[in-house]
Each structure stands twice: as C-alpha cells, then as structure tokens.
C-alpha cells in the first residue's frame, strides 16, 4: 500500500509538471512567482467538493490525502517530540518491518527544558527536523507544552515543566529549528491535558484567569512567536466540549484572539461529533478508529466525522461551505510550506552532528541536586574500584512510554558510558540491586534485552551492599522507567514514591559507603525519604541515544553540570497544590459514583488551586520543597553582584532594564543561570510571591565575570482580569528578584510602575 501511494504521488506530480510545461500559461497555483495566498485561492477554485472533503481526514494511520488530480501531495505525520517514530502498517499500529527507520533519540523535553538554554532548544529542533525531513515527514507531532500540575502525570516527561514563562521561551526556538527544514511542528496537547488518567473522559473546570496565566501562554508563544504551522487538540473536555472540537479554545481564542492561520490537527481518536468538528475549529481529523478498516466499511476513512458525513450535510443543504473552504485554505497554506516547498533541505539522519547535539543537551540538562563532601566529580586518582548498582544502569529507555517510544540506531546505557569513561583506570563492577520492569517492547519495537532475574530481592540487596563496601565509589542508577503507571502515556503514577523497593536499597548503600551518588532517571519528581542519608543526588532524565555518555561526562567532571529543575520537587505529594487544593484525579463524589468510565459520563476535575502551581504555591504558602524550581548545583561556585535598574519609575508604555554581574569564583569553568523573578508588592488581587520573567545562561571561566541584562515591559507585571478579559498592570511598587533558583534570591531592586 505504501509503495502504491508513493507511485500515485509521483504520477500526479509528473502530470502536474507536464501540464505546466505543455500549456502556454503555468497554472497560478503552480507558479512560484505568484504570492502564496493567490496560489492558494487558485488551487481552491480548481478543487471539487469531494477533493476538498478528502483533504480533511486521514487516509491511513499517519497520512492524509492531497489532491492527485492537481499534483498536490499527501501529508505524512510522525511522532514524536524526542525522535522520529518507526514506520507502522497502513491501517494498524503494528510495525511495518522496515530496516531503514532507526534514528537518533534525543533527550526527553524535561531534559531540554532543564538546560535553561534557548540555543540548545534551537539545536535540538534543527537536528530533529533534519531527521524528520530525511524520513520524508511533513508534520512532526510535537513538542508538548502541557504544564506540570501533578508529579503523578505519566506524560510529564514529554513536557517542559511547571512554569509558563520557561516553557514559552524554550519551545519557540525548538519550533523554529524544526520548521527550518520544511517540516511543520504540531504543538500539543491544546489544552488542559495535565494528567493521563481520565484523559478521554474528563471535563476540566478552571477559571479564566488561571487558564490565561498558567496553561495558555506556552501555546500562545508557540503560534504567535514560534509560528508553529500546526497545533494538536487534546482529548479532554473544557466547558463541556472536547478540546479537538472546542468553540472557545479553537475559534474564540486560537483563531480569533491569536489570529492563528495554521492547521488544527485532532489527536488520534479525539473527534466524536461531525457538526462540532465542522463549526468549532478543527481542520484535520486523524485516528478516529484504531484500525482504519474495523468499522466494516471498505474504506473506513471515508466515514470519519469530517468525511462522508460532512459531504452529506453539504449536499443536503444543512451546512454551507464557508468552514470547508477555510479548512482547505489552511491545509493548502501548510502544503506550500512543506510538501510543495521546493526549497526545503534534504535532511540527514544519525550524523555525527546529531549525536553531538543529543550528548550536549544531555550534559547540560542533567541537574546536580545535592553534592555534600564533593563526592562528584569522581576523582580518578582515588577511584580504583567503582560500583555501579541499579536496574536503570542497564535498562534501555528509548523503547516504551507511549507514542514517544522510538526505534534507535543505538542507545548508550549508563553502565556502558561509565565503563567507557573510567574502565581504563578503574575496575568498574555492576550489581542489579533491584528488579523493576523486565519488559522491553512497545508497539512491536523490541529492546532486545532480557532482564529476567530469578534471584530474590534479599540476595540482590546483599550482593549490592557487598560490592558497595569493597568499592571506592558507588553510583546507584535508579528512578522510574517507561512501564505502565510510571513515566508513560495512558496512565498516571500510582504513588509519589520510588517503585521496586529502591528506598531500602538506597538506604543500605548509604550505610555501606559514604562515597555514594544516587542518579535518578525519570521525567517526574519522586519522594526521597533517604535524602539526608545520601551525600550526592543527580537528576538525569531520559537522555536518549547518548544517555550513558552524557551521564559519564558529568560524573567525571568532563562536563560541569549546569542544569536547573524545570519543576518543583515537593517533600510529599500533599505539598503539591493540585493534591492539597485541587481535584485529582477527579471529583471524589463522582469517582465514587463511577464517573469517567466512558465519554457519556465524564468526570469533572476542578483546578481549585488556580494560579498557584509549582513554586508559585510553595513560595507563596512558605512550604519548603525538597528541591526548588530553578535549583541546580555546579562543580564551581558563582557570585552575584548587586542588581541595578536603569530607572526607578516606568510608565505603562515603557521598558525597564535590570543588570547584574555573575562571577565564577571557583576553579572550574562552568555555567550559571541568572533568573529574574518579579514581585507585585501591593495588588488588588491575590498574586504569587514571585513569578519568573527572565533567565539567561552564562558560561564563565574561573575568575571570569559577565554582566547579565534583563529588559521587561508591563506584560511582565500584568495579571489577567477575567471581568475585563484583558491583561492589567496595576500602578504601584514592584520588586525585581535575581538569583539562581526560586528559593535562592541573591539580589533585589525596587521600582515603580506609573
């Protein structure tokens, strides 16, 4: 089937070319000298009603039709945000069995966000876009920018953290990097999909201020600053309508307020009503049935909600064609940027440059949470024997987790990376320590690992402790994995604690050897009852193909850690605002009544915590976190000078600039992230204690000093007034707070807004 469609596409393109060459006048829609909008309208005028309808829905699991008669190619989409997914069969999720669809896996988006480096985001997007282009993909289904509301959300590892400002600034370069290759991004999941449990059967209840201040900014930045050519609707309901066919989200906000000219793509299986899909802003429908042939029709795709049912309504005179022409116009606009863009590059795959990008992002994203007694970096002169303990040191992490699961050319595991870096000078030995997930398959992609273990937990622990006692350094590599009910699409975590009895293993290792570093591989915060027992803790994320090399570089000090947390680690789950104030996973009475089991009986989820998400909650309520938003240590030390403002008073249409010096006072070259927070000292509405409004990463040699500059306008001082449906900056006194985490403010300066 794939070969057949490729032949058809080639034939139609040749036909169009022949037609253009054998007529006196090139058709306007093919004439590259004409403005794109004129070409779009010309193509639209030449299309039949049936051809227009055909463009609006899938023709296979991951593709949608073009217009063969006019030489307009089909669109090919692909997961996902961390690498290009392997090929599946035309109608099914099963693997197509190709041998040339292995790629480089890049670090998960939590790791990218943890770099706090906008240049790294561009590099990531450009490299990933090159691989998507090489694989002849037109739409990349990502990145994800849903806000981290609860540490139990199974899909948090695919997103960029709890802060709308950080997420907004990190997503824009990623989008531009991908799209520089003529491949569209599809920013997801718009909007309010902040948990996996009940994602298909929930109705989110949220006030407008919270919606606009916390959950919408990354999507707005993605389309107004990043110009993402497509955006993907979510599964959940808002105001009683499903997000992929939602009047308020898609028409009122996205297309009217933000003046979005791109394409709204449904998430796979997110559409369930033809008339709502027609009128409420959806442009392209995908995946409405798992198997394209399963509803008994010869071609189930013709029976999608935006297919024959739509055509029938038009022919019966029950709906007009205004919405249809708007949808097709958007799709043609996309085609001229992607499938019909003759100037896009060819792309490449698994190049040395791509490997370097993956490794560098991993190194910069790793966060050193704690380092008492300077256990790290490992002193190779004292490390004659290094113990590596824990299942995650040997477990492949690129397979699993949901739609972001990948088929990779290679994955360097933590144990392999450590052996490669230290093995020539030290004896590196491994012990399992615990047994977690022995599986290694997702959607037909197999890791090739057999992690079955017959020994008892007691025997494994005894072996690990004995090895730890006889070693100079102990590196425990644990955390979560991508099995169901951990960091995985479709389910949330069942608890905040580490699984597989890892707490007992870590405590035992801490007693056995004081030179212990705990490395946590996860996309979520976890409880750490042993935090005071352990001298060194490293947050390592899912780091993709170069995982082991990135980790080893940080452990050795070849790379000085400079990552900062993109979300807060609460001490216990009840310290998180959504669990203390809001409803999770849904309304308790409705849960008890069995709601949420199907779409006819959705469960309500109230975001009672409002704008107080993450550090906004902890800092305002003075709840001490385990590790704060923006926290991350280094192997060197930094000193902040006194913050200065270029003026004491600013007007509503003015800007103000803050400067601060950052100096490397240690002996190693390294990078620090200067973070600007703003406090409204007196407000008519409740506001957080502080909000991030600027950040810059600075690289400094020992003794080097640089000046960091932040310039803001009144948007950084504003809150959303739901009654006025507008942003308001109240005159009065404010304070700029500059530091290197939300709970480590180094310098302050007051100023006044007229």
């Amino acid at each position: 089937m794939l070969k057949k469609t490729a032949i058809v596409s080639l034939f139609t393109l040749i036909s169009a070319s022949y037609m253009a060459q054998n007529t006196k006048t090139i058709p306007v829609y093919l004439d590259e000298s004409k403005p794109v909008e004129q070409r779009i309208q010309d193509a639209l005028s030449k299309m039949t009603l049936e051809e227009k309808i055909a463009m609006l829905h899938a023709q296979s699991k991951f593709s949608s039709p073009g217009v063969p008669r006019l030489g307009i190619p089909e669109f090919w989409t692909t997961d996902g945000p961390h690498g290009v997914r392997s090929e599946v069969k035309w109608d099914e999720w099963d693997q197509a069995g190709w041998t040339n669809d292995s790629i480089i896996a890049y670090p998960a988006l939590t790791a990218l966000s943890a770099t706090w480096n906008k240049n790294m985001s561009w590099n990531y997007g450009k490299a990933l876009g090159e691989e998507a282009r090489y694989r002849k993909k037109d739409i990349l289904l990502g990145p994800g920018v849903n806000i981290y509301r609860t540490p139990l959300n199974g899909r948090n590892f695919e997103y960029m953290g709890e802060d709308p400002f950080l997420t907004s600034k990190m997503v824009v370069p990623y989008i531009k990097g991908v799209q520089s290759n003529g491949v569209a991004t599809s920013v997801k999941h718009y909007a309010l999909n902040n948990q996996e449990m009940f994602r298909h059967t929930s109705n989110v209840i949220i006030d407008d201020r919270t919606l606009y201040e916390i959950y919408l900014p990354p999507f707005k930045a993605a389309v107004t600053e990043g110009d993402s050519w497509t955006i993907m609707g979510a599964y959940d309901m808002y105001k009683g309508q499903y997000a992929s066919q939602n009047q308020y989200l898609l028409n009122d906000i996205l297309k009217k307020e933000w003046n979005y000219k791109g394409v709204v793509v449904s998430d796979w299986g997110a559409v369930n009503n033809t008339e709502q899909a027609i009128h409420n802003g959806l442009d392209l429908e995908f995946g409405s049935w798992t198997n394209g042939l399963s509803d008994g029709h010869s071609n189930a795709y013709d029976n999608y909600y935006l297919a024959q049912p739509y055509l029938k309504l038009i022919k019966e005179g029950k709906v007009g064609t205004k919405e249809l022409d708007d949808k097709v116009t958007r799709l043609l606009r996309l085609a001229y940027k992607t499938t019909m863009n003759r100037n896009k590059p060819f792309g490449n795959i698994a190049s040395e440059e791509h490997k370097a990008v993956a490794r560098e992002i991993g190194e910069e994203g790793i966060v050193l949470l704690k380092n008492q007694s300077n256990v790290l970096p490992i002193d190779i002169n004292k490390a004659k024997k290094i113990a590596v303990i824990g299942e995650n040191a040997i477990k492949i992490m690129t397979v699993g987790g949901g739609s972001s699961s990948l088929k990779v050319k290679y994955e360097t595991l933590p144990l392999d990376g450590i052996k490669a870096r230290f093995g020539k000078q030290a004896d590196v030995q491994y012990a399992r320590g615990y047994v977690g997930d022995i599986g290694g398959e997702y959607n037909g992609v197999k890791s090739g690992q057999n992690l079955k273990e017959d020994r008892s937990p007691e025997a494994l622990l005894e072996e690990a402790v004995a090895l730890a006692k006889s070693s100079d350094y102990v590196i425990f590599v644990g955390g979560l994995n991508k099995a169901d009910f951990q960091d995985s699409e479709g389910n949330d975590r069942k608890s905040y604690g580490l699984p597989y009895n890892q707490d007992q293993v870590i405590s035992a290792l801490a007693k056995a050897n004081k030179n212990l570093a705990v490395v946590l591989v996860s996309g979520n915060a976890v409880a750490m009852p042993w935090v005071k027992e352990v001298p060194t803790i490293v947050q390592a994320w899912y780091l993709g193909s170069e995982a082991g090399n990135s980790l080893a570089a940080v452990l050795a000090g070849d790379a000085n850690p400079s990552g900062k947390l993109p979300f807060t680690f609460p001490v216990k789950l009840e310290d998180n605002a959504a669990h203390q104030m809001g409803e999770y996973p849904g309304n308790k009475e409705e849960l008890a009544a069995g709601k949420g089991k199907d779409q006819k009986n959705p469960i309500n989820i109230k975001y009672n915590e409002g704008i107080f998400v993450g550090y906004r909650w902890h800092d305002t309520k003075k709840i001490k976190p385990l590790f704060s938003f923006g926290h991350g240590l280094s192997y060197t030390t930094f000193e902040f000078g006194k913050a200065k403002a270029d003026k004491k008073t600013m007007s509503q249409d003015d800007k103000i600039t803050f400067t601060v010096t950052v100096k490397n006072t240690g002996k190693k070259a390294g990078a620090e992230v200067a973070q600007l927070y703003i406090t409204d000292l007196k407000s008519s509405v409740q506001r957080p204690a502080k909000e991030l409004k600027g950040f810059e990463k600075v690289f400094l040699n020992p003794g080097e000093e640089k000046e960091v500059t932040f310039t803001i306008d009144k948007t950084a001082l504003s809150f959303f007034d739901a009654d006025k449906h507008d942003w308001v900056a109240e005159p009065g006194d404010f304070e700029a707070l500059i530091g290197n985490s939300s709970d480590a403010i180094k310098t302050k300066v007051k100023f006044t807004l007229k």
Side-chain angles (χ1 to χ4, degrees):
M1 187 81 74
L2 287 171
K3 292 180 180 178
K4 178 183 175 183
T5 57
I7 292 169
V8 170
S9 297
L10 181 61
F11 175 76
T12 55
L13 288 172
I14 292 172
S15 298
S17 176
Y18 179 83
M19 178 179 66
Q21 292 172 13
N22 289 273
T23 55
K24 292 182 180 179
T25 305
I26 298 173
V28 173
Y29 76 95
L30 291 175
D31 187 350
E32 294 185 359
S33 69
K34 301 293 184 183
V36 169
E37 290 300 318
Q38 183 181 344
R39 297 170 69 190
I40 288 169
Q41 291 308 309
D42 183 60
L44 189 68
S45 70
K46 289 177 168 58
M47 294 169 63
T48 66
L49 185 60
E50 287 76 11
E51 286 171 337
K52 292 177 182 179
I53 290 290
M55 285 194 74
L56 304 187
H57 60 84
Q59 65 176 5
S60 75
K61 187 62 66 182
F62 280 101
S63 71
S64 63
V67 184
R69 182 178 62 85
L70 298 178
I72 298 172
E74 58 202 4
F75 290 112
W76 279 91
T77 70
T78 182
D79 290 312
H82 310 138
V84 185
R85 190 173 180 174
S86 55
E87 302 295 334
V88 299
K89 293 179 180 178
W90 187 263
D91 290 311
E92 304 166 35
W93 290 112
D94 295 342
Q95 292 296 296
W98 291 22
T99 58
N100 61 348
D101 56 348
S102 299
I103 45 77
I104 294 295
Y106 296 91
L109 291 189
T110 43
L112 173 62
S113 192
T115 68
W116 290 59
N117 186 335
K118 288 159 272 192
N119 292 330
M120 278 294 158
S121 185
W122 158 261
N123 293 343
Y124 190 124
K126 184 174 184 293
L128 178 55
E130 287 173 349
E131 301 217 351
R133 174 70 188 97
Y134 185 87
R135 288 271 303 279
K136 296 180 172 56
K137 305 303 180 185
D138 306 304
I139 304 172
L140 181 77
L141 304 173
V145 294
N146 294 97
I147 293 296
Y148 187 112
R149 179 177 178 250
T150 164
L152 299 189
N153 180 13
R155 215 165 177 182
N156 276 336
F157 73 98
E158 286 190 48
Y159 305 142
M160 293 185 170
E162 72 187 24
D163 185 70
F165 183 86
L166 174 64
T167 301
S168 297
K169 293 303 178 185
M170 290 299 292
V171 77
V172 168
Y174 175 112
I175 291 167
K176 291 183 176 179
V178 171
Q179 293 187 164
S180 69
N181 295 282
V183 176
T185 54
S186 195
V187 177
K188 61 186 188 183
H189 304 87
Y190 182 70
L192 301 171
N193 181 183
N194 306 108
Q195 63 187 63
E196 289 298 283
M197 195 170 183
F198 300 125
R199 66 174 177 167
H200 292 281
T201 56
S202 62
N203 181 52
V204 174
I205 299 173
I206 184 173
D207 65 90
D208 273 7
R209 182 184 174 196
T210 301
L211 178 70
Y212 274 81
E213 288 191 21
I214 304 296
Y215 297 98
L216 290 186
F219 291 104
K220 183 178 181 181
V223 299
T224 61
E225 298 175 42
D227 186 30
S228 181
W229 298 336
T230 83
I231 188 169
M232 182 189 289
Y235 286 126
D236 56 282
M237 297 176 77
Y238 170 62
K239 292 184 180 292
Q241 285 183 342
Y242 283 95
S244 285
Q245 51 198 41
N246 189 288
Q247 169 66 27
Y248 193 62
L249 289 174
L250 301 182
N251 282 339
D252 294 347
I253 297 175
L254 179 66
K255 292 185 174 181
K256 292 179 183 176
E257 281 188 30
W258 300 346
N259 196 30
Y260 184 56
K261 301 300 184 184
V263 172
V264 176
V265 180
S266 72
D267 204 343
W268 271 232
V271 186
N272 55 37
N273 184 288
T274 293
E275 294 209 16
Q276 287 187 5
I278 293 170
H279 296 292
N280 293 356
L282 180 66
D283 300 310
L284 183 56
E285 176 189 0
F286 269 105
S288 289
W289 291 280
T290 301
N291 182 321
L293 307 178
S294 62
D295 75 341
H297 293 272
S298 60
N299 185 359
Y301 301 107
D302 286 341
N303 293 280
Y304 273 25
Y305 295 98
L306 286 181
Q308 290 296 327
Y310 190 2
L311 183 63
K312 185 171 181 287
L313 288 175
I314 292 174
K315 288 186 173 181
E316 290 174 351
K318 294 180 179 178
V319 298
T321 58
K322 178 184 176 183
E323 293 87 357
L324 174 63
D325 285 348
D326 178 68
K327 297 175 195 297
V328 177
T329 295
R330 292 169 182 273
L331 287 163
L332 289 171
R333 196 175 286 137
L334 176 64
Y336 281 110
K337 293 175 179 176
T338 57
T339 61
M340 298 181 74
N341 175 7
R342 295 201 307 166
N343 297 318
K344 60 187 176 184
F346 287 104
N348 66 84
I349 200 161
S351 65
E352 290 303 313
E353 289 81 3
H354 290 180
K355 295 174 186 177
V357 167
R359 183 172 63 254
E360 289 166 8
I361 292 168
E363 291 172 0
E364 275 205 40
I366 289 172
V367 182
L368 182 61
L369 295 176
K370 183 180 179 182
N371 195 27
Q372 286 182 346
S373 305
N374 295 322
V375 171
L376 294 181
I378 292 172
D379 186 343
I380 197 63
N381 296 316
K382 297 179 181 178
K384 303 305 178 187
K385 184 177 180 181
I386 300 173
V388 179
I389 296 168
E391 181 177 279
N392 282 359
I394 61 167
K395 183 170 177 60
I396 285 177
M397 292 294 188
T398 53
V399 176
S403 59
S404 63
S405 179
L406 296 170
K407 179 180 173 183
V408 296
K409 283 189 174 293
Y410 70 95
E411 179 178 346
T412 307
L413 300 172
L415 179 60
D416 296 333
I418 292 168
K419 282 184 173 180
R421 176 60 183 83
F422 297 102
K424 291 182 180 179
Q425 299 107 325
D427 178 18
V428 179
Q429 294 190 18
Y430 174 74
R432 180 89 173 247
Y434 70 92
V435 177
D437 172 48
I438 65 171
E441 180 177 355
Y442 183 84
N443 191 45
V445 177
K446 299 179 181 180
S447 68
Q449 289 187 306
N450 181 2
L451 296 181
K452 186 179 179 182
E453 176 62 68
D454 294 325
R455 289 176 294 171
S456 68
E458 293 76 17
L460 291 171
L461 180 59
E462 184 178 345
E463 177 193 48
V465 170
L467 178 60
K469 287 180 177 178
S470 66
S471 300
D472 299 305
Y473 283 88
V474 180
I475 309 297
F476 174 82
V477 187
L480 306 178
N481 56 45
K482 293 184 178 179
D484 281 346
F485 302 104
Q486 294 206 46
D487 284 327
S488 182
E489 179 182 359
N491 293 295
D492 286 345
R493 296 166 64 193
K494 293 183 176 179
S495 69
Y496 184 46
L498 282 174
Y500 316 129
N501 204 32
Q502 290 179 76
D503 291 338
Q504 181 184 351
V505 177
I506 292 169
S507 290
L509 294 177
K511 292 182 177 69
N513 194 316
K514 64 180 181 179
N515 289 329
L516 168 66
V518 172
V519 176
L520 296 173
V521 177
S522 76
N524 260 311
V526 298
M528 302 182 194
W530 34 262
V531 66
K532 293 181 180 179
E533 306 167 35
V534 172
T536 299
I537 305 170
V538 176
Q539 178 61 35
W541 319 109
Y542 299 106
L543 299 179
S545 289
E546 286 288 319
N549 292 330
S550 296
L551 177 60
V554 168
L555 296 177
D558 303 333
N560 194 343
S562 61
K564 302 285 184 177
L565 288 179
F567 51 78
T568 305
F569 276 53
V571 174
K572 56 186 183 298
L573 192 60
E574 295 73 25
D575 289 347
N576 172 274
H579 292 270
Q580 188 170 136
M581 295 290 292
E583 293 180 340
Y584 174 87
N587 180 273
K588 290 182 180 179
E589 289 75 20
E590 293 179 0
L591 276 171
K595 282 204 168 188
K597 292 181 179 178
D598 56 60
Q599 291 189 334
K600 294 180 181 178
N601 296 287
I603 190 167
N604 288 306
I605 306 172
K606 288 184 179 180
Y607 287 22
N608 293 324
E609 71 279 7
I611 60 172
F612 294 97
V613 175
Y615 71 91
R616 287 168 168 79
W617 171 255
H618 281 265
D619 292 353
T620 304
K621 298 297 181 181
K622 295 182 170 54
I623 300 170
K624 187 174 176 59
L626 188 62
F627 295 105
S628 65
F629 172 79
H631 171 75
L633 304 177
S634 172
Y635 296 149
T636 189
T637 54
F638 299 96
E639 184 179 89
F640 284 71
K642 186 177 181 181
K644 298 177 182 177
D646 67 343
K647 56 175 70 77
K648 292 183 178 180
T649 303
M650 65 178 285
S651 62
Q652 291 277 342
D653 57 356
D654 199 4
K655 295 182 179 181
I656 186 169
T657 297
F658 306 102
T659 57
V660 65
T661 57
V662 182
K663 184 177 182 179
N664 184 341
T665 55
K667 297 180 180 180
K668 291 180 180 288
E672 179 62 291
V673 179
Q675 303 166 31
L676 169 70
Y677 297 85
I678 297 293
T679 295
D680 188 345
L681 295 176
K682 186 178 181 181
S683 174
S684 64
V685 298
Q686 190 176 22
R687 302 194 71 176
K690 64 175 79 73
E691 295 181 281
L692 182 73
K693 296 299 177 182
F695 64 91
E696 291 296 334
K697 194 165 197 174
V698 285
F699 294 83
L700 299 166
N701 290 313
E704 186 179 8
E705 181 178 272
K706 287 183 181 178
E707 187 175 79
V708 179
T709 301
F710 301 102
T711 299
I712 63 169
D713 58 22
K714 71 172 185 178
T715 59
L717 314 178
S718 302
F719 62 87
F720 187 79
D721 188 319
D723 293 332
K724 295 179 180 177
H725 198 79
D726 199 4
W727 292 89
V728 173
E730 289 183 334
D733 294 333
F734 292 82
E735 196 165 39
L737 316 173
I738 300 175
N740 58 4
S741 80
S742 67
D743 68 350
I745 301 303
K746 306 297 184 181
T747 179
K748 305 175 182 180
V749 57
K750 288 184 179 180
F751 64 100
T752 301
L753 176 68
K754 289 182 182 177

